[in-house]
Amino acid sequence: MTRLLIIDDDRELCGLVRDYLTPLGYEVTAVHTGPAGVAEAGKFDVVLLDVMLPGLDGFEVLKQIRQKSAVPVLMLTARGEETDRVVGLEVGADDYLPKTFSTRELLARLRAVMRRTARPELPATEIVAGPVRLDTGARTAAFGDKALALTAIEFDLLAELVRAPGRVKSREQLLEAVAGRDYEVFDRSIDVHICALRKKLGNPAFIRTVRSVGYTFEL
């Protein structure tokens, strides 16, 4: 059973999701406030998090979850607004879904997120490129003496870049490598993840933008 936590104050929606996913192998638990979600998230395999929550919005909930857990988080945005999606990715969401989703799309996104974060790794390998060191077995990353707290997709994205320093990787190549599924042509998620990586590295010059093509890791 996949343990799924829904953090949403819409109790009817929570019930519908539970009824749909339970026969498909999900053990669904729902909480209806942000603080309750923060307290419980680390106990689950995946989290479905609404942006619009009373008192403590979904972005703040996600920030607090990320301080202590790397659990995959799929955010629900009210109308699929690009601003909500970008902010969610910036603070550590693994994917997003407009709240007018179909149950089939919800299931597909959940499965994609779970594949992305639980796919089997190659034998443990240390990748070193300048000051960046990655351990693919332990899935740890460091920049010099500083440990990097990366989400699953950020780790895979950085690994894909540092394995081939100096080579340009297109957005499509990077998305396929780290997400394992196709994105819409105008999806900005790859750019948001790159921006987050640059901030965490503390030196944006290492990841260079190749206009209209993609990105490359340069020493």
Side-chain angles (χ1 to χ4, degrees):
M1 297 288 284
T2 300
R3 296 166 300 167
L4 181 146
L5 175 68
I6 309 176
I7 308 172
D8 197 317
D9 63 334
D10 186 336
R11 295 172 185 266
E12 182 178 358
L13 176 66
C14 292
L16 291 172
V17 170
R18 180 186 292 112
D19 292 345
Y20 175 70
L21 292 177
T22 297
L24 299 175
Y26 288 80
E27 180 183 318
V28 180
T29 300
V31 295
H32 309 296
T33 67
V38 172
E40 296 295 321
K43 305 173 185 177
F44 290 81
D45 300 313
V46 62
V47 172
L48 193 60
L49 171 63
D50 187 22
V51 169
M52 301 298 292
L53 290 168
L56 197 64
D57 69 35
F59 301 128
E60 183 58 34
V61 171
L62 181 55
K63 287 179 185 178
Q64 294 188 27
I65 289 174
R66 282 291 172 252
Q67 290 174 4
K68 56 183 180 179
S69 174
V71 61
V73 176
L74 178 61
M75 291 204 78
L76 297 176
T77 61
R79 296 175 300 278
E81 295 287 350
E82 184 180 30
T83 300
D84 284 351
R85 299 199 303 267
V86 169
V87 173
L89 292 171
E90 285 178 338
V91 295
D94 292 274
D95 205 346
Y96 52 81
L97 189 64
K99 208 166 184 182
T100 53
F101 60 84
S102 69
T103 50
R104 289 180 62 187
E105 184 177 11
L106 169 63
L107 182 61
R109 293 291 181 112
L110 285 171
R111 286 174 171 170
V113 166
M114 295 301 294
R115 283 196 305 270
R116 183 185 309 157
T117 55
R119 64 188 181 187
E121 289 291 331
L122 297 173
T125 303
E126 186 176 60
I127 306 172
V128 179
V132 176
R133 300 191 319 279
L134 303 178
D135 184 330
T136 60
R139 292 186 67 81
T140 58
F143 186 86
D145 296 329
K146 175 187 174 184
L148 299 176
L150 305 180
T151 66
I153 197 167
E154 288 169 358
F155 182 92
D156 291 336
L157 179 58
L158 184 57
E160 186 69 15
L161 288 169
V162 300
R163 281 190 178 106
R167 289 178 52 190
V168 179
K169 296 280 188 174
S170 70
R171 287 173 174 81
E172 292 74 17
Q173 288 175 319
L174 290 171
L175 284 167
E176 181 59 29
V178 303
R181 68 176 178 83
D182 294 330
Y183 278 62
E184 297 99 352
V185 174
F186 297 106
D187 193 327
R188 289 183 55 200
S189 62
I190 190 67
D191 304 303
V192 175
H193 289 305
I194 289 289
C195 181
L197 269 177
R198 284 171 167 159
K199 290 179 180 177
K200 291 180 179 181
L201 289 172
N203 189 334
F206 281 99
I207 301 177
R208 182 171 67 87
T209 301
V210 181
R211 189 171 182 179
S212 302
V213 180
Y215 298 93
T216 181
F217 186 87
E218 293 191 344
L219 300 177

